[in-house]
Structures are given as C-alpha cells and as structure tokens.
Amino acid sequence: MRGVLSLCVLRVVADGPTYGYAIAGRLADAGLGSVKGGTLYPILTRLETDGLVTSSWAAGNGGPGRKFFSLTPTGAQALRERAEQWHVFTERAAGLLSRPVVPS
Amino acid sequence: MGTLLNSTDQAWCDDLLLRLRLLQVPGARIGEVLAEVQSHVAETGEPPREAFGTPREYADQVAQALGVTPVRGWAALRQGLRWRDLLLAVLIGVAGFSLADGLWSLGAGAATTAGLPTWLVCLGAALVLGACTARLVVSARHDPDADPVIDPRNGVDMVPFGRRQVVLLAALPVLALIGMAVGGLLSR
C-alpha cells in the first residue's frame, strides 16, 4: 500500500505547490485516513531524491516556515505512467474479485 | 533552534539528530528533516513522538527513504576514528594527569614531581593541554569533513560549537585541576 500512497501524494502535489500538513489534509479529505508525518515526509523525501518533486522553504508568519513541494516534468510523466499502471491493475483485480465463486 | 519547541519536543529532536548522524545521513539532509519536524509540529500541535514515532524508528525510515545503508556498531565506530584523534586523546590524558599531579605537588609544597621541577611539569603540561584544547575547538569549527547540520531556511549551523560549548568543554577539567591544587594544600 506504501506505493499507492506515494502515487496519491504525487497526484496531490500535481495540483500545485503545497506543503506537508496540507498534503495530509488532502489525503484525509479523499478518504485515505490520517497519514502521520512519520509516513508522509519519508515519501516526499524519496520522491524528491528520485527527482519527481522539488522543494523550497517559504517563511511562515512567525512560525518555523513551510516546505513547499512542486512537481517536476519527470514527476508529471511518472504520475501519468504510474496512474495508468494502477488503473490496469485495479481493473484486473476487480475483474477477478467480482467473478462468482464456483466450488470445484 | 530551541525557541519553537518545548523541552520534551527539543529532546526528541536532539535524539533524532544524533541517530541520523549515527546512520551517516548527510548534515544538510539532517537539517531538512529537523526543519520538517519543527514545521509539522508547529502546524498540527502534535507532539513529535505521536506524529513521527520514536527517534530511532523515524531515523531508520529517513535513512531508508534516502537509500543510505545503515552502518552500525563496531564498523561505524571504526569508520569514525582517525589516528590523529587517538593521538590527541592520549596526549590529553597524559598531560591532564601530569598537570593534576604537578598541581597537587605544588599545593603540597613539593619541589620536584617525578624527578623534575614541579613548576616545569605544571607549565609543560598546561601548555600541552591548552594546545590540545585549541586543536579540538579549531577542528570542531573548521574541519573540512565536519559536514555541519545546516538549517535549510536560513543557512545557519543548527548545532554550533560556540563560546558556551567551549566554556563547558574547559570548565569541568579546570575545576577538577583547581581541586587538585586545593587538595595538595590541605595535605600539608
């Protein structure tokens, strides 16, 4: 499931520069449950080291600042490919699961 | 960096920093991770332990995400040790012992220590000890291999080796050495 979560994070970042807490909020709104910081930031770190997203710090008002993530062209391509793969996989899985059980 | 977090949260961050260092995560990346934690904690009000787990678990997760292979135990210890550091440790030990011995003799009024004039032993040992301390401070501040933990938001070293650290480094040994001279005086 970690791979799918990474794909979902990539999809959220595709909507424009956003930061950790807001990403967690979007995932929760999408019904994916509350994703802890301990899970979310390593995913973002990996996406960044893979060159799929870039990050930059912006000063917060009085707070410790926010790290904004944005999609790179490589990230956009990876998102298309992985989303496609995920659709194919879920369709096949759904096809298998929806077959009536026939005891042999 | 202490002003934004309470002492429990700060202790959690300090522990995380140490564990990331032990896993040999680059300093700049450690700065990123610490800044992310501070930002997340400020945003959510969640304690770091709740949001990120224990420092050990989180450090392992970060290292895994970065593809850093953890080096643990004996191998890590040997990698970090250099002959120069060992030599410095031995020098500090011998000079520290000699100075303590010399100061005791000075307090007790003995003219010679180990066959040498007491004042000469004290002076020599103090000079060596001073030089070793200077070398420690210089290497902590300017070592090209130091790989400092840099805050990505302002480029500042997050664990500076400032005047306070130097005072802490020197104060305890100096107090102990004064104690030796006093002990010698009392033994008269």
Side-chain angles (χ1 to χ4, degrees), chain A residues 2 19-21 24 35-46 48-49 55 57 62-67 69, chain B residues 4 29 31-33 35-40 42-44 46 50-53 58 61-62 64-67 152-153:
Chain A
R2 185 63 65 92
Y19 56 97
Y21 181 50
V35 178
K36 291 280 174 193
T39 308
L40 181 61
Y41 292 95
I43 288 176
L44 287 163
T45 301
R46 177 160 281 171
E48 193 177 6
T49 49
S55 70
W57 283 90
R66 285 170 176 170
K67 190 182 188 180
F69 295 89
Chain B
L4 298 163
R29 182 42 81 170
E32 286 280 347
V33 171
E36 280 170 10
V37 170
Q38 285 174 10
S39 174
H40 187 84
E43 206 90 49
T44 60
E46 263 181 317
E50 216 164 274
F52 295 92
Y58 191 51
Q61 272 173 303
V62 169
Q64 211 187 0
L66 290 168
R153 297 163 294 187

Side-chain angles (χ1 to χ4, degrees), chain A residues 64-88:
Chain A
R66 285 170 176 170
K67 190 182 188 180
F68 281 87
F69 295 89
S70 28
L71 205 66
T72 63
T74 323
Q77 200 189 339
L79 174 60
R80 276 194 301 275
E81 286 169 11
R82 290 182 196 181
E84 182 57 33
Q85 286 167 2
W86 176 246
H87 283 309
V88 171

